[in-house]
Amino acid sequence: QQQVKQSPQSLIVQKGGIPIINCAYENTAFDYFPWYQQFPGKGPALLIAIRPDVSEKKEGRFTISFNKSAKQFSLHIMDSQPGDSATYFCAAKGQAGTALIFGKGTTLSVSS
Amino acid sequence: DTAVSQTPKYLVTQMGNDKSIKCEQNLGHDTMYWYKQDSKKFLKIMFSYNNKELIINETVPNRFSPKSPDKAHLNLHINSLELGDSAVYFCASSQGAGGQPQHFGDGTRLSIL
């Protein structure tokens, strides 16, 4: 019940394409859903986050779609660029004092 | 100005040794974390401290002992290192222990020979 399932494991798109990464969770106590981006040799960096009271959030080229009834959320990257090539992690968290649970990551390659 | 800094960046050592990793944050946050990232890039929480108090202690062997001397520092000491401890260890911090952004350091890559 503590898992966050992320798919696909890897994704290759052409420049300008719209990669979509999906995540699903079981624990209805989760109330914070961030996405992190990680480049080789670096720590994960927060990209965008959403709470379950909204169905969509957009920041620049990154959009989270959230479906509370289906317990699923996804990341869309508009007009993807080679510089977006990285590993993306979804995560979920409940109340204070509980752990941030990460998905297994998606390696994205954007070809020019 | 690095927000969350870890030292050392690389640690290569023999099985059975004891080693420490240090973490410091200059963001003024009150909560700090240790994560382990394995060779498949899976990230898992190990420990979390809020205002120097341990609030998360996942199922980690007791060879791992965190210490938070103050809110800005969180160190990780590992006794009797084993081959399976090889991984990248990340320190992170946040303001509050709820759903707030966590800021990660660049990791310490631990390799056990």
Side-chain angles (χ1 to χ4, degrees), chain A:
Chain A
Q1 203 186 13
Q2 281 292 86
Q3 277 188 322
V4 176
K5 292 183 180 174
Q6 182 172 347
S7 62
Q9 191 174 340
S10 61
L11 196 46
I12 301 173
V13 300
Q14 290 205 323
K15 181 181 170 183
I18 306 176
I20 300 173
I21 305 170
N22 300 299
C23 285
Y25 65 98
E26 288 294 324
N27 189 345
T28 53
F30 288 151
D31 62 4
Y32 174 68
F33 302 89
W35 284 88
Y36 281 82
Q37 179 189 56
Q38 185 179 26
F39 292 105
K42 295 291 187 184
L46 180 68
L47 207 51
I48 185 172
I50 198 168
R51 297 194 190 268
D53 51 347
V54 297
S55 59
E56 187 175 279
K57 183 174 180 181
K58 187 183 262 192
E59 282 184 10
R61 295 184 294 109
F62 301 93
T63 300
I64 300 180
S65 298
F66 187 85
N67 184 330
K68 188 174 179 179
S69 59
K71 291 185 280 188
Q72 294 175 347
F73 57 112
S74 58
L75 177 71
H76 301 228
I77 305 175
M78 310 302 287
D79 186 29
S80 58
Q81 301 295 313
D84 296 330
S85 298
T87 301
Y88 293 80
F89 295 93
C90 63
K93 191 182 191 306
Q95 64 186 18
T98 61
L100 182 64
I101 307 296
F102 282 86
K104 291 192 173 181
T106 297
T107 302
L108 171 67
S109 295
V110 181
S111 60
S112 50

Side-chain angles (χ1 to χ4, degrees), chain B residues 22-95:
Chain B
K22 295 188 174 185
C23 178
E24 176 181 5
Q25 54 95 3
N26 64 4
L27 297 166
H29 290 165
D30 60 5
T31 306
M32 295 185 73
Y33 311 82
W34 278 113
Y35 285 87
K36 180 179 180 180
Q37 186 171 48
D38 63 21
S39 57
K40 294 183 180 175
K41 295 190 183 174
F42 183 53
L43 263 169
K44 191 168 175 3
I45 184 76
M46 299 173 72
F47 303 102
S48 177
Y49 275 76
N50 174 255
N51 286 312
K52 301 194 315 176
E53 271 197 50
L54 183 65
I55 58 169
I56 295 175
N57 184 352
E58 289 292 297
T59 47
V60 177
N62 56 16
R63 298 181 295 104
F64 290 79
S65 49
K67 273 211 177 83
S68 180
D70 56 56
K71 285 198 294 186
H73 295 85
L74 180 62
N75 303 323
L76 183 65
H77 187 76
I78 316 169
N79 288 326
S80 304
L81 281 156
E82 300 178 358
L83 286 174
D85 298 332
S86 294
V88 182
Y89 293 85
F90 287 101
C91 177
S93 72
S94 66
Q95 182 52 37

